[in-house]
Amino acid sequence: MLQSLFYLGILGAALQYFLYYRDWASFNRDFVLKVRPGKCHLAREHGGTEDVDYVGDSIILASAGFNWEGDVGQLLAFNISGEKTQEITLNISNSPRRADFLGAPHGITTWTDPDTGEVFLYVLTHPKAEDRIEVFEVQKSPVSLRYIRTITDPNFSFMNDLIAVGRDQFYITRYNWYRSGDWVKLAHWLHIKEGTIFYYDGHRARQAVSETYFLSNGISVSPDKRTVYMAEWGKKTLHAYRRESNNKLKPLWKEYLDTGIDNINVDQETGDLWIGSHPVTWRIVDFFGIFGKHTAPSQVLRVKVSDGGVDAVEEIYSDNGEEIAGSTAAVYAEGKLMVASVFEQAITCDVEYLSK
Amino acid sequence: MLGKVVTMVSAAVLAKFILNYMDWLDVGDTFMFRVQPGDCRTVIHDGGAEDVTDLGEGLVIMSTGLGLGKGQGKMKLLDVNTERVTELEIMDAPGRDDFMTLPHGIYAWKDQESGSWLIYVLTHPADKDMIEVFEFIRTKRARGTMYSLKYLRTITDPNFKNMNDLVVVGRDQFYITKFWTYRPVQYYQLVVEVMTMRHWGGVMFYDGRRARSVVEGLFQPNGINMSPDGKMVYVAEFGNKRLLGYHRSINNNLSPAWEEYADTLVDNIEVDADTGTLWIGCHPVNYRIIDDMFGLFGYALPSQVIRAEMTSDGRVAEIQEVFADDGSRLYGSTAATNASGKLVIGTVSRQAMICDMQ
């Protein structure tokens, strides 16, 4: 009798996990409705731009050519002022002579010195040897980069995104413990909490939270630099933290959003979070091609926040993958929305209306 | 050995059926993101507006009171320029106390010869449905134009039970959808009919004297409308979450042209007279609208409006979501129309909303 109950309990738990996993993977879903904020056009057709950042004067910087092998990618700039967005390959002066410089560029962040106005760009890269953050000074007219230094740390296994809060000071998300491409790809299905957040103080990195996460992905900060936001893609949950005086992060609130949130860009004027996301999980994490040929759909959310938490979540853009596949990031600037994807297109849309 | 295989296969088939059923119910859908085309304002706060239709010149006529009791349905008029809603007085109304009970689908038909508008309103008095026919009257007064409805006649047919919406193709000639077979008072039979997904609905054609069936075997056909040239008839097959297109033949029969899955419970369809674009009010989370039908737990009803752009030969070119809400601002959308460039959205029994569209 007791044994039967025990087996029934195990069966029940297995069934419940099966249903949870099926829902997480969105296996029952293959339909995505279109949503458009206005007319959209192609800014980049192939190659991907995993992360984008707006630096003012109609310029958006981007990391391009993310891949699993550590092959060299590029850094790009886009000018969104005209009717058609212009893509500019960035001239990099003073770059180191390493053959693996800018291998698999991933998350990026910029920081402007409030006194001098100098703009610095930090790019997370994954050359085969180790994760490296390359630091550049940004010139805007004409737009170019000058390499300054490389930041590494023994804590940097396979990281994902970073947000600068001072000169060479940033919060960075760890994605996986192991750097092997095959492990990272497989880990998307394993639901192991390998992720966490570190703070780099200019010299070394130390863990900023005691929690661990499943695929901690995008990270950003509020305009007043007091609140840090993190997108835990694996759990489809948005986290907010209060920054403490010692730069540790105290969990403030979290909100389940039921979609695969990736990178976050915070509008410096309104504090709105612009999030690139993957609405149908199985179509973006099918790295091994088990489910045959298909494209990943795209989505952009605008999250309005206040101290108490999320006030509203708006869907500004949505596509089944024909116009843009696998959106990872979005940035809203000068009345336009630029949507970026990890492997394929980048598009710019006019935003006809934004609620207050 | 064979017994074990049969058991396993049966278990797998049963499991698949249960999963498909749960998916049909939208059991996993917890989140509704907001989508809106511009600033939105509530113009009706209670009583709803189950069906809305644009008369042009900024006037939208609406049937209200589907959730209320006997004889309490009202026809209202929204002026999109002033955003004021007024109740349309009915002249020469018949003395029945069940007149205008639970008004449902409506259609505004323009008589090309006389230039007058006839308004057909489907209502549900106790045991059979009645279509009330009105003339839309404009009376010019010193202080402006006054609008009212003049009752003309009532159309009934022994077949008219549980109808939902209609599209008028000529004077007193229309296609009308039959939603389900059991009446709401036959509660348990209705629960079984819906929950076992009986395809017992269809489309009938009323030729001026009597109704005949032109389409059968549909699962809760809801809204019905027509392309501006009258060649295609569109049906919102609510239960199967899809739009159906039919070719209209000379004798008013319908033949299937296409099916378009919309992944949401499509309710009423309005068609732009100039572009032929479809505007469809929808219920995005199935179990919640079913819960509302059977009065169970009182879940909040989210709202959604989708827009289908059509090709010149009456096929769906593109579907886009133009409005979505989790129910906190708009509760249970059923119909939407593009009136003079503004989006007007009606609900079962609560609000009606108007949104700017850029």
Side-chain angles (χ1 to χ4, degrees), chain A residues 32-76:
Chain A
V32 173
L33 271 172
K34 271 192 200 171
V35 179
R36 295 285 186 276
K39 271 197 155 53
C40 300
H41 69 269
L42 210 58
R44 180 169 163 83
E45 201 172 345
H46 291 301
T49 37
E50 203 275 343
D51 201 8
V52 287
D53 207 351
Y54 173 65
V55 292
D57 299 319
S58 308
I59 298 169
I60 291 177
L61 299 179
S63 59
F66 175 82
N67 60 85
W68 300 109
E69 291 74 38
D71 294 338
V72 173
Q74 304 167 274
L75 295 176
L76 304 174

Side-chain angles (χ1 to χ4, degrees), chain B residues 7-226:
Chain B
T7 311
M8 276 171 56
V9 170
S10 309
V13 168
L14 181 67
K16 189 87 178 77
F17 175 79
I18 291 174
L19 285 178
N20 282 343
Y21 196 80
M22 282 169 60
D23 291 342
W24 172 70
L25 286 175
D26 298 324
V27 164
D29 286 7
T30 48
F31 216 96
M32 281 295 305
F33 301 121
R34 274 193 200 169
V35 179
Q36 57 191 100
D39 283 340
C40 296
R41 297 163 289 283
T42 306
V43 290
I44 290 179
H45 294 270
D46 209 12
E50 201 278 340
D51 203 5
V52 302
T53 263
D54 182 26
L55 298 176
E57 298 164 55
L59 297 175
V60 175
I61 191 166
M62 309 185 274
S63 59
T64 75
L66 183 62
L68 302 176
K70 187 157 97 163
Q72 289 183 38
K74 300 203 191 314
M75 296 302 290
K76 293 190 182 170
L77 191 70
L78 164 69
D79 181 332
V80 303
N81 297 312
T82 62
E83 300 192 0
R84 281 189 62 235
V85 174
T86 50
E87 188 185 319
L88 284 167
E89 206 187 326
I90 298 176
M91 316 295 205
D92 303 345
R96 308 195 306 261
D97 65 348
D98 62 359
F99 177 65
M100 289 302 282
T101 299
L102 304 182
H104 208 162
I106 67 178
Y107 197 82
W109 179 74
K110 190 158 186 175
D111 184 336
Q112 295 301 340
E113 291 171 17
S114 63
S116 58
W117 286 94
L118 292 190
I119 313 291
Y120 291 75
V121 181
L122 169 68
T123 66
H124 302 294
D127 51 356
K128 59 184 195 295
D129 293 350
M130 292 183 185
I131 290 118
E132 312 293 359
V133 190
F134 305 95
E135 190 183 336
F136 183 69
I137 308 279
R138 275 174 236 257
T139 317
K140 282 201 165 42
R141 292 260 151 80
R143 58 178 183 276
T145 313
M146 306 286 283
Y147 303 99
S148 58
L149 294 175
K150 178 169 167 217
Y151 168 78
L152 297 177
R153 61 188 158 276
T154 303
I155 297 175
T156 59
D157 187 282
N159 286 295
F160 288 170
K161 293 188 182 158
N162 312 315
M163 313 315 271
N164 190 296
D165 193 18
L166 72 173
V167 56
V168 180
V169 300
R171 184 174 282 269
D172 295 349
Q173 296 178 319
F174 50 83
Y175 292 95
I176 184 165
T177 49
K178 186 185 187 73
F179 195 65
W180 46 28
T181 58
Y182 286 104
R183 295 192 67 81
V185 289
Q186 299 164 298
Y187 186 81
Y188 295 108
Q189 291 96 320
L190 201 54
V191 169
V192 172
E193 182 180 346
V194 172
M195 300 314 276
T196 60
M197 309 210 280
R198 299 294 95 215
H199 284 48
W200 286 345
V203 181
M204 306 198 89
F205 180 73
Y206 185 81
D207 63 11
R209 283 193 297 269
R210 53 189 187 78
R212 72 170 195 277
S213 179
V214 288
V215 180
E216 292 188 343
L218 298 183
F219 183 23
Q220 298 178 314
N222 193 315
I224 186 167
N225 215 311
M226 178 168 76

Side-chain angles (χ1 to χ4, degrees), chain A residues 111-148:
Chain A
W111 181 74
T112 306
D113 189 319
D115 303 320
T116 64
E118 288 168 306
V119 181
F120 298 94
L121 171 70
Y122 299 81
V123 181
L124 169 66
T125 64
H126 304 291
K128 272 211 152 47
E130 59 180 347
D131 271 20
R132 296 182 188 134
I133 288 111
E134 309 294 359
V135 188
F136 306 87
E137 194 184 329
V138 182
Q139 300 299 331
K140 281 204 235 167
S141 42
V143 57
S144 63
L145 300 175
R146 185 175 72 87
Y147 166 80
I148 302 177

Side-chain angles (χ1 to χ4, degrees), chain A residues 19-210:
Chain A
L19 288 175
Y20 157 77
Y21 199 88
R22 182 174 182 266
D23 182 62
W24 169 80
S26 317
F27 277 132
N28 58 331
R29 214 178 149 200
D30 203 5
F31 189 94
V32 173
L33 271 172
K34 271 192 200 171
V35 179
R36 295 285 186 276
K39 271 197 155 53
C40 300
H41 69 269
L42 210 58
R44 180 169 163 83
E45 201 172 345
H46 291 301
T49 37
E50 203 275 343
D51 201 8
V52 287
D53 207 351
Y54 173 65
V55 292
D57 299 319
S58 308
I59 298 169
I60 291 177
L61 299 179
S63 59
F66 175 82
N67 60 85
W68 300 109
E69 291 74 38
D71 294 338
V72 173
Q74 304 167 274
L75 295 176
L76 304 174
F78 293 94
N79 187 315
I80 54 164
S81 60
E83 246 194 64
K84 200 144 180 355
T85 298
Q86 300 292 325
E87 180 188 312
I88 309 158
T89 307
L90 282 168
N91 229 328
I92 305 175
S93 59
N94 198 36
S95 47
R97 287 186 212 281
R98 284 178 253 136
D100 61 0
F101 179 62
L102 289 186
H106 204 164
I108 66 173
T109 184
T110 55
W111 181 74
T112 306
D113 189 319
D115 303 320
T116 64
E118 288 168 306
V119 181
F120 298 94
L121 171 70
Y122 299 81
V123 181
L124 169 66
T125 64
H126 304 291
K128 272 211 152 47
E130 59 180 347
D131 271 20
R132 296 182 188 134
I133 288 111
E134 309 294 359
V135 188
F136 306 87
E137 194 184 329
V138 182
Q139 300 299 331
K140 281 204 235 167
S141 42
V143 57
S144 63
L145 300 175
R146 185 175 72 87
Y147 166 80
I148 302 177
R149 60 184 281 236
T150 302
I151 295 175
T152 56
D153 189 282
N155 281 298
F156 293 168
S157 52
F158 193 85
M159 316 308 274
N160 187 295
D161 192 19
L162 70 176
I163 181 72
V165 292
R167 177 81 194 264
D168 294 350
Q169 295 169 326
F170 51 83
Y171 289 94
I172 182 166
T173 48
R174 181 178 71 204
Y175 208 52
N176 300 99
W177 296 319
Y178 307 116
R179 304 189 67 251
S180 132
D182 287 334
W183 171 260
V184 175
K185 286 189 243 180
L186 184 63
H188 282 80
W189 295 95
L190 298 181
H191 293 239
I192 303 172
K193 292 190 174 181
E194 298 179 64
T196 192
I197 306 173
F198 285 91
Y199 176 72
Y200 185 83
D201 63 8
H203 303 287
R204 59 185 186 83
R206 58 181 199 281
Q207 209 167 336
V209 286
S210 53

Side-chain angles (χ1 to χ4, degrees), chain B residues 139-356:
Chain B
T139 317
K140 282 201 165 42
R141 292 260 151 80
R143 58 178 183 276
T145 313
M146 306 286 283
Y147 303 99
S148 58
L149 294 175
K150 178 169 167 217
Y151 168 78
L152 297 177
R153 61 188 158 276
T154 303
I155 297 175
T156 59
D157 187 282
N159 286 295
F160 288 170
K161 293 188 182 158
N162 312 315
M163 313 315 271
N164 190 296
D165 193 18
L166 72 173
V167 56
V168 180
V169 300
R171 184 174 282 269
D172 295 349
Q173 296 178 319
F174 50 83
Y175 292 95
I176 184 165
T177 49
K178 186 185 187 73
F179 195 65
W180 46 28
T181 58
Y182 286 104
R183 295 192 67 81
V185 289
Q186 299 164 298
Y187 186 81
Y188 295 108
Q189 291 96 320
L190 201 54
V191 169
V192 172
E193 182 180 346
V194 172
M195 300 314 276
T196 60
M197 309 210 280
R198 299 294 95 215
H199 284 48
W200 286 345
V203 181
M204 306 198 89
F205 180 73
Y206 185 81
D207 63 11
R209 283 193 297 269
R210 53 189 187 78
R212 72 170 195 277
S213 179
V214 288
V215 180
E216 292 188 343
L218 298 183
F219 183 23
Q220 298 178 314
N222 193 315
I224 186 167
N225 215 311
M226 178 168 76
S227 58
D229 61 11
K231 291 188 184 162
M232 302 280 302
V233 169
Y234 308 121
V235 174
E237 196 188 7
F238 185 88
N240 277 329
K241 303 182 187 175
R242 61 184 183 179
L243 296 171
L244 304 172
Y246 293 90
H247 292 301
R248 236 182 108 205
S249 54
I250 311 275
N251 57 5
N252 290 308
N253 281 345
L254 296 179
S255 57
W258 49 259
E259 301 167 359
E260 188 84 20
Y261 183 67
D263 201 34
T264 180
L265 286 95
V266 284
D267 201 306
N268 287 329
I269 305 173
E270 287 300 302
V271 181
D272 264 353
D274 33 8
T275 61
T277 299
L278 273 51
W279 298 83
I280 305 158
C282 308
H283 303 279
V285 184
N286 193 1
Y287 77 86
R288 287 178 180 245
I289 192 66
I290 286 183
D291 175 72
D292 187 72
M293 275 179 201
F294 299 132
L296 298 169
F297 302 106
Y299 289 116
L301 298 182
S303 293
Q304 184 184 48
V305 174
I306 62 177
R307 180 186 83 203
E309 274 162 31
M310 312 301 281
T311 60
S312 49
D313 58 348
R315 306 192 74 87
V316 175
E318 180 184 280
I319 297 183
Q320 208 179 115
E321 183 184 40
V322 296
F323 182 92
D325 184 74
D326 61 5
S328 51
R329 295 177 310 163
L330 192 67
Y331 194 99
S333 57
T334 49
T337 188
N338 172 6
S340 309
K342 292 196 189 179
L343 183 65
V344 175
I345 315 171
T347 63
V348 184
S349 60
R350 300 254 181 126
Q351 308 97 334
M353 198 171 244
I354 187 169
C355 298
D356 300 325

